Amino acid sequence: RILFARAAASLASCVMASRSDAGGRSRLSPSMVAIIEKQVADLRHRVLTFQAVPNRSNPGLDYSELPDHVDVLVFGPSGSGKSSLIRTFYRALHRTQTIPRELA
């Protein structure tokens, strides 16, 4: 999930930052923007539908011990971009530029 989220966030921020320069002129061709947006949508779908054990249908396995989610610890020195990374993931996954107060 993290790999997909990282790629989706990276592509999303690339599209948002590259749509126009300071003078309002497009930096990317419309076809390139369409390709990147399609890739972002595909990665977003993969992240949101990912399951570590897709079907949980093997009768020989006890699925009760598998967690429904996984917490990820992000650590590093002050100013290394931890909060920016989390906000970028949020914006990419939720298709928004608005950040909730708890992530601001």
Side-chain angles (χ1 to χ4, degrees):
R1 246 186 190 184
I2 293 299
L3 176 61
F4 288 130
R6 192 173 295 153
S10 176
L11 284 170
S13 61
C14 173
V15 169
M16 290 174 202
S18 300
R19 285 188 181 210
S20 60
D21 60 17
R25 295 177 299 274
S26 177
R27 290 184 185 176
L28 296 175
S29 70
S31 61
M32 183 58 77
V33 170
I35 289 169
I36 293 172
E37 287 176 340
K38 182 182 180 310
Q39 291 173 337
V40 169
D42 179 53
L43 288 170
R44 183 180 291 116
H45 172 74
R46 289 182 187 197
V47 168
L48 295 174
T49 60
F50 175 81
Q51 295 178 350
V53 182
N55 299 321
R56 295 187 181 221
S57 60
N58 184 336
L61 296 177
D62 177 13
Y63 296 108
S64 66
E65 294 187 25
L66 291 175
D68 291 330
H69 72 280
V70 176
D71 293 325
V72 176
L73 176 65
V74 179
F75 65 94
S78 179
S80 64
K82 302 174 297 291
S83 296
S84 295
L85 177 69
I86 292 167
R87 286 190 295 268
T88 300
F89 283 171
Y90 183 90
R91 285 192 302 264
L93 288 174
H94 297 284
R95 299 179 185 191
T96 183
Q97 288 298 308
T98 305
I99 301 294
R101 284 178 72 134
E102 58 270 14
L103 295 180

